[in-house]
Amino acid sequence: MLLQLSAEFDLQSDVVPWLLAQGPAAALDAFEKSAATPYVVNVERNGKIIYTWKGSGRNTCIGLYDPFNKQNEHLYTFEKDLHVISCSINNEKTLLAVSFLQSTKEERVNQLLQPVSKCLTLLIEIHPVNNVRVLKAVDTCIRVQFLYPVANRNPFPESHLLLISEDKYIEQFHIHVVTEDHHKVVIQNSGQLPRDRVADDLIWAQWDMTEQRLFYIVPKESRNILKCVQFYPDENFNLILEASLDISLRDIGLKFVNFGYDYSQDQEEPRSLNLQVFTSKTGSFCLCCSQAPDIPKEVTYSVSFLHKGYSKTFTVALQRTDYPQVKEVAFLNLDYYVVVYLPGHFLHLLNTQHPDLMCYNLFLTGEDARINMLHKSSIQSPFKSAVWDCCSGRMFTVRINECSLMQFLWNSKLDSDRLAALHCALLHVRNTTDLEMQIIQWISENLSACSTFDPFQELIIASLYWAMCPETSKLDKLLPYTSLLYWNGIIPGITCITDIISLPELKVQNCKGFWEKLNLNLECVKYAEPHLHYNNNVLRREWYKLLSEEKAEERRTTTYLRNIFENAKKVLSNLAEWNLEERLVPLFQEEDYQQRLLIGLMVAQLKDHLMRHLQYVGKTKIDQIVLDYVSKLLDLICRIMEAVWRKYSLQSCVLCLDKRGSAAEFAAFHIMSRILEAANGMCIPLPPGFHTLHMGLGVRCLPLHTLLHYIDNGVLQLTETCAIKLLKDLDNTEKNEKLKFSIFTRLPEAIGHKVSQLWNHPVNSNFIARNSVKLLLDKLRKRQHNRPVVDRLSVHVEFLPLNYLVDMLAEVEDQGLNPFEEEDNVNAKFVEETALKHTMMLLGL
């Protein structure tokens, strides 16, 4: 079970025992009748729960439960059997608004001679219980909702109440209260309460209790318009958003969402339309919609990602026919995910921040899709990560169960499931480092299972994304969150159609909070968001260009390279400050020219990218963001390797090259090869010492021909440190000589000159001599010269080809072209002696 519920409130355990302990025995018998069972009518912004029950003599009572101190409180009693349809209490618990039906349909037939309004809405002073004021007496149902102030603010002396009428309008009443006799709170207005008209002609409305927003839809010509009104603590409100909808809402009647609960709704036929709006702190704005299915074995629902400018319509073929028919799918808000739940059939988690690719959505069936303790229908999500099961009167907090998520990841057979579960897990890594270790373990054991994506690339990119984005509001638009550009995979059992929709229009400028982030999202859509994300294409071209210039000895200006290497120095210094604890992985802090060049270039390129799009952020802040990003990149790779070392119980002495590697070391070598492949694919740097350690494991674990094949194809990269260790750790047996010579012939020229001087062996001397001759003759072709006549040989040898060659080399040395002039022992004489020794060896003399 992927979603885990934690009970926050249960009528049967939190309220019923208290009720049974309150009144006379007559009240006890009443609870045996289902009609007298208490039920929840509303949940306020502060989490307090309003419920009603039938007391002694069929009185209608209203109570309040405080989840923080776990206490119940009796608010008011009507000495009559009433059907309460809506109720709300203000923040100070001094005013109670109640809307109820005065009589049943049968009773109204008998009251034709005495007409009575169907619905009565009252405003009651309850601190203490005092006056009662009639707000509405009409034949249509009214719902009530007090506005709540922002936290840590005293809103006295005025309260504000919304009245939502089935006559398709919404009003706001302003209620001024005063204190009398030091404790009694009464309504000051003696006449009509001042009111404002908030909305007219609406056909759907939803209340956002957390953010104090009202969403509603009004029909306009051939389209429907979604509007949003934001209420403020100073009693003002603004129409802040309008969005044109392509959803057909004809003949749906009037629908209310999150304005409490009327238990009589469960006796009605299934609703033809389920429509809800969900927002998140990242600026996501989603409209979820499902309608009664035309085909019994199919369910269709759509999610309009208004902050992205497109909607997705999903059609699911139901596999189970033995499960009881449910009224409708339920929509839940998990902030980063919108949950679509059809009990007994499926659970669909849609990523609201990155909804473009289907592979980031979790679609579960069977046991994985089951949510314990949740009723089959009448489910509401009054605020983020909360579920209200209206039928049973229970409130839950809902969260993703990390253990179940990892179990689902391990058991998944489809790449779409693996990728969605991986990204969902990485989102929650911020909560625990243990989860990161579990993800690395899964990747290390499933390297070959994923055919459509590289799990190491996704781990690195997504981890950095979630680690950095909370720091600056716009970073989530500028940093990459995946290595995938598109996804052609199919999720079995579900089809998806994507449609372009109109972007919402913000009516107020210079907004703060959610509206500021939504506006930022909309601006990014207008300016082609995919092009805002940083990519390494330019970095790759510049890096390759600098490396080719290095080989051709055509280096750039000293200032340019100095700045790049200064960037790398800052990153490595920053990384060293984080890694104060001794690591298991034997990474050498070596001078790796290529990797330092790449580190410095990445810092420069990323800094330029952010400077173009974060003009309001200072240069110092951007410098720190980039420094942290590249440092965390290297640190993450170190942590991955650290986890691999622990997994296989490897020791730091793994770099001793005179022994063969174990099966555990071969597994570590294979994982490092995949890390290198992932890094090369994204053109990202690796921590210092990575290539040396990788090469060391290759020497220990691979046969010679495979080792050389890996070197020739770039899988293994030769380093000076590793070459020196070969000299120190391996003796001069025939097998080791063959290995050393094969390695030396493949060393880069600059490294080869340094390392070759350390191996005192005829094979190496022959190699040095050959290389010296090659370089001298290459340079000789560039100059005019006369055949040398000076005899420089210490011992005259009657071998004319050798004499001619040595004389020529001596003449070149006189012209100052010796490439080994810093080495005292490498000259024409050295070449002659080496040639003679090599000839004698070949002749067996």
Side-chain angles (χ1 to χ4, degrees):
M1 290 169 288
L2 183 65
L3 293 188
Q4 178 178 331
L5 300 184
S6 301
E8 297 294 323
F9 171 77
D10 187 344
L11 270 174
Q12 299 305 314
S13 60
D14 293 323
V15 174
V16 170
W18 176 78
L19 291 176
L20 294 174
Q22 297 304 304
L28 304 181
D29 298 334
F31 285 110
E32 297 177 3
K33 303 177 182 180
S34 59
T37 302
Y39 68 93
V40 175
V41 291
N42 201 5
V43 181
E44 298 290 7
R45 183 178 186 240
N46 54 16
K48 295 180 179 179
I49 298 167
I50 302 175
Y51 55 90
T52 181
W53 76 97
K54 306 301 181 184
S56 175
R58 304 298 294 169
N59 294 336
T60 302
C61 305
I62 298 174
L64 182 71
Y65 177 78
D66 189 336
F68 299 103
N69 56 29
K70 308 294 183 183
Q71 291 183 354
N72 288 278
E73 180 180 355
H74 175 244
L75 297 178
Y76 195 78
T77 298
F78 293 96
E79 296 179 354
K80 188 177 180 180
D81 184 4
L82 301 174
H83 175 193
V84 177
I85 59 175
S86 183
C87 189
S88 184
I89 188 171
N90 67 345
N91 187 51
E92 298 76 30
K93 296 195 300 182
T94 57
L95 298 174
L96 180 69
V98 183
S99 183
F100 56 85
L101 299 180
Q102 295 200 70
S103 57
T104 65
K105 184 176 181 180
E106 291 77 8
E107 290 173 336
R108 286 196 298 274
V109 172
N110 298 327
Q111 295 173 349
L112 292 178
L113 297 179
Q114 297 179 344
V116 177
S117 300
K118 173 185 174 182
C119 180
L120 195 64
T121 304
L122 304 179
L123 181 61
I124 307 170
E125 299 169 355
I126 59 170
H127 188 75
V129 174
N130 193 22
N131 298 322
V132 177
R133 179 173 296 204
V134 177
L135 295 179
K136 292 285 183 179
V138 292
D139 287 332
T140 54
C141 290
I142 299 288
R143 284 171 175 78
V144 291
Q145 178 61 58
F146 273 104
L147 301 182
Y148 273 65
V150 293
N152 303 322
R153 176 167 178 157
N154 186 2
F156 264 104
E158 196 165 53
S159 293
H160 311 283
L161 176 69
L162 293 181
L163 261 67
I164 305 92
S165 171
E166 286 188 351
D167 285 332
K168 300 185 178 182
Y169 67 86
I170 298 176
E171 292 180 323
Q172 178 182 203
F173 284 79
H174 306 286
I175 309 151
H176 196 84
V177 296
V178 294
T179 303
E180 296 180 353
D181 301 331
H182 303 291
H183 70 283
K184 182 187 297 185
V185 177
V186 298
I187 300 172
Q188 185 184 43
N189 313 73
S190 58
Q192 289 285 337
L193 295 175
R195 70 183 75 179
D196 298 316
R197 200 77 159 188
V198 177
D200 282 300
D201 302 322
L202 56 91
I203 57 175
W204 173 91
Q206 175 180 323
W207 177 242
D208 182 345
M209 68 173 69
T210 304
E211 303 298 337
Q212 300 288 279
R213 303 182 191 124
L214 174 67
F215 299 97
Y216 64 97
I217 296 175
V218 295
K220 185 178 181 181
E221 298 176 354
S222 61
R223 303 176 72 85
N224 295 298
I225 306 298
L226 172 66
K227 299 186 178 185
C228 179
V229 171
Q230 176 74 64
F231 292 90
Y232 300 99
D234 59 359
E235 81 180 64
N236 291 326
F237 63 90
N238 283 326
L239 175 64
I240 203 165
L241 175 140
E242 285 188 0
S244 179
L245 304 179
D246 294 327
I247 302 173
S248 176
L249 301 177
R250 292 176 297 177
D251 304 323
I252 67 166
L254 183 63
K255 306 295 181 182
F256 294 129
V257 180
N258 290 345
F259 285 103
Y261 172 68
D262 179 5
Y263 73 88
S264 65
Q265 292 175 348
D266 269 354
Q267 314 304 321
E268 301 173 359
E269 292 297 319
R271 286 178 282 178
S272 60
L273 178 74
N274 181 13
L275 194 68
Q276 293 188 54
V277 167
F278 291 138
T279 62
S280 78
K281 58 187 178 184
T282 61
S284 299
F285 186 19
C286 302
L287 179 66
C288 305
C289 177
S290 70
Q291 296 185 340
D294 297 327
I295 303 175
K297 294 185 179 180
E298 281 189 357
V299 171
T300 299
Y301 52 93
S302 66
V303 179
S304 298
F305 301 96
L306 296 170
H307 59 292
K308 293 289 187 179
Y310 55 80
S311 69
K312 290 182 178 289
T313 301
F314 302 93
T315 301
V316 180
L318 302 181
Q319 303 298 322
R320 296 185 60 179
T321 58
D322 59 329
Y323 205 83
Q325 181 66 32
V326 295
K327 292 184 178 181
E328 59 188 17
V329 297
F331 296 114
L332 308 177
N333 186 4
L334 291 187
D335 206 10
Y336 287 102
Y337 287 92
V338 165
V339 179
V340 185
Y341 179 49
L342 187 62
H345 294 281
F346 67 84
L347 179 70
H348 194 183
L349 276 72
L350 291 95
N351 191 313
T352 60
Q353 196 162 358
H354 305 295
D356 45 342
L357 299 182
M358 279 281 287
C359 53
Y360 297 122
N361 300 336
L362 275 165
F363 185 78
L364 301 91
T365 57
E367 185 65 20
D368 293 322
R370 186 164 62 90
I371 304 179
N372 276 343
M373 303 184 294
L374 209 54
H375 200 273
K376 298 174 184 176
S377 61
S378 298
I379 299 171
Q380 293 188 22
S381 185
F383 42 86
K384 293 180 181 66
S385 302
V387 179
W388 176 10
D389 187 345
C390 303
C391 292
S392 64
R394 292 189 291 179
M395 286 282 297
F396 305 94
T397 55
V398 57
R399 68 177 185 88
I400 293 176
N401 188 316
E402 295 170 1
C403 294
S404 298
L405 179 62
M406 290 306 302
Q407 184 178 1
F408 177 78
L409 181 60
W410 279 97
N411 297 334
S412 297
K413 304 300 181 184
L414 300 176
D415 274 5
S416 58
D417 290 339
R418 295 187 182 113
L419 187 56
L422 177 61
H423 273 266
C424 185
L426 291 172
L427 169 61
H428 294 82
V429 160
R430 293 175 292 177
N431 302 330
T432 168
T433 56
D434 181 61
L435 184 59
E436 182 180 75
M437 294 299 105
Q438 295 181 49
I439 294 172
I440 295 173
Q441 182 177 359
W442 175 81
I443 293 177
S444 64
E445 296 189 18
N446 291 272
L447 286 173
S448 302
C450 305
S451 58
T452 56
F453 70 98
D454 187 321
F456 272 127
Q457 288 187 353
E458 293 302 300
L459 169 64
I460 293 170
I461 290 296
S463 295
L464 290 173
Y465 179 86
W466 292 116
M468 297 297 300
C469 286
E471 296 184 7
T472 305
S473 60
K474 199 178 178 181
L475 273 183
D476 60 326
K477 309 296 182 299
L478 303 176
L479 297 179
Y481 62 90
T482 178
S483 61
L484 298 177
L485 298 178
Y486 56 87
W487 176 265
N488 292 328
I490 298 175
I491 300 177
I494 182 172
T495 60
C496 175
I497 299 175
T498 303
D499 296 302
I500 303 299
I501 60 175
S502 302
L503 290 175
E505 179 186 357
L506 288 176
K507 297 293 186 179
V508 178
Q509 302 298 321
N510 302 319
C511 301
K512 300 297 181 182
F514 165 78
W515 300 111
E516 180 182 15
K517 294 181 179 179
L518 174 61
N519 185 56
L520 181 60
N521 284 332
L522 299 178
E523 291 296 320
C524 289
V525 174
K526 293 176 184 177
Y527 297 107
E529 181 182 16
H531 302 292
L532 295 177
H533 288 288
Y534 171 77
N535 68 75
N536 290 336
N537 292 336
V538 177
L539 172 63
R540 189 189 303 273
R541 289 196 298 268
E542 181 68 9
W543 187 47
Y544 286 169
K545 187 176 182 180
L546 287 175
L547 290 179
S548 63
E549 290 176 358
E550 172 70 16
K551 290 181 180 179
E553 299 181 356
E554 299 175 357
R555 287 196 175 187
R556 297 277 186 93
T557 60
T558 307
T559 304
Y560 178 73
L561 288 177
R562 186 189 302 119
N563 291 336
I564 289 176
F565 286 111
E566 187 63 29
N567 291 337
K569 182 179 179 182
K570 292 178 182 178
V571 170
L572 296 177
S573 176
N574 200 34
L575 183 64
E577 292 177 4
W578 294 352
N579 300 331
L580 298 179
E581 297 181 3
E582 186 176 354
R583 291 186 182 270
L584 284 175
V585 184
L587 289 175
F588 290 83
Q589 297 302 314
E590 58 191 2
E591 290 285 339
D592 189 330
Y593 176 83
Q594 291 190 6
Q595 290 304 307
R596 287 177 181 263
L597 181 64
L598 183 56
I599 292 171
L601 272 176
M602 186 174 187
V603 170
Q605 297 276 346
L606 184 56
K607 190 183 300 182
D608 290 343
H609 177 73
L610 297 184
M611 289 288 286
R612 284 195 298 271
H613 301 288
L614 295 178
Q615 293 90 350
Y616 62 92
V617 178
K619 181 180 180 301
T620 304
K621 177 65 174 177
I622 289 180
D623 289 346
Q624 189 60 46
I625 290 173
V626 173
L627 179 64
D628 288 345
Y629 185 86
V630 182
S631 301
K632 287 179 179 179
L633 165 63
L634 299 177
D635 184 59
L636 175 60
I637 296 175
C638 290
R639 294 204 307 273
I640 294 173
M641 294 175 62
E642 197 77 7
V644 172
W645 248 247
R646 288 195 179 95
K647 173 181 172 59
Y648 293 107
S649 301
L650 298 177
Q651 303 298 323
S652 297
C653 60
V654 74
L655 258 180
C656 297
L657 304 181
D658 57 341
K659 297 179 181 179
R660 298 305 300 167
S662 62
E665 290 175 15
F666 184 81
F669 170 79
H670 180 57
I671 293 173
M672 288 189 69
S673 299
R674 292 300 299 266
I675 294 173
L676 176 63
E677 180 183 352
N680 289 340
M682 297 185 293
C683 194
I684 58 174
L686 293 163
F690 181 93
H691 289 299
T692 296
L693 178 58
H694 191 210
M695 183 68 193
L697 286 174
V699 171
R700 288 173 62 94
C701 298
L702 299 177
L704 180 59
H705 66 279
T706 306
L707 177 70
L708 299 180
H709 178 71
Y710 276 33
I711 294 173
D712 293 338
N713 286 276
V715 178
L716 290 172
Q717 295 188 26
L718 295 168
T719 64
E720 181 180 342
T721 305
C722 189
I724 293 174
K725 283 192 67 65
L726 276 173
L727 289 179
K728 293 182 178 179
D729 293 354
L730 301 183
D731 55 23
N732 287 329
T733 62
E734 182 179 353
K735 180 180 180 181
N736 288 343
E737 285 181 358
K738 186 177 181 181
L739 170 62
K740 291 178 181 180
F741 187 72
S742 299
I743 295 296
F744 284 164
T745 57
R746 289 167 169 80
L747 282 173
E749 184 176 328
I751 299 177
H753 288 333
K754 296 179 182 178
V755 175
S756 60
Q757 307 300 321
L758 303 177
W759 189 22
N760 184 20
H761 190 274
V763 173
N764 185 45
S765 299
N766 183 44
F767 167 74
I768 295 174
R770 287 172 181 270
N771 198 34
S772 174
V773 171
K774 175 180 178 296
L775 292 174
L776 282 170
L777 293 180
D778 284 344
K779 292 191 175 185
L780 183 61
R781 284 198 300 267
K782 300 177 182 179
R783 292 197 178 188
Q784 294 286 339
H785 65 279
N786 298 320
R787 186 170 67 86
V789 295
V790 182
D791 186 4
R792 296 176 179 272
L793 299 183
S794 57
V795 177
H796 186 70
V797 179
E798 293 296 336
F799 185 55
L800 294 179
L802 178 61
N803 292 345
Y804 182 84
L805 174 63
V806 171
D807 287 346
M808 182 186 297
L809 296 179
E811 177 63 22
V812 173
E813 287 178 7
D814 281 347
Q815 297 176 12
L817 298 179
N818 184 8
F820 295 96
E821 58 188 355
E822 295 180 0
E823 308 290 343
D824 295 336
N825 60 332
V826 181
N827 49 31
K829 179 181 178 181
F830 171 79
V831 173
E832 177 190 18
E833 293 176 353
T834 301
L836 290 173
K837 289 180 182 179
H838 185 64
T839 303
M840 294 176 66
M841 288 173 57
L842 293 177
L843 296 176
L845 301 177

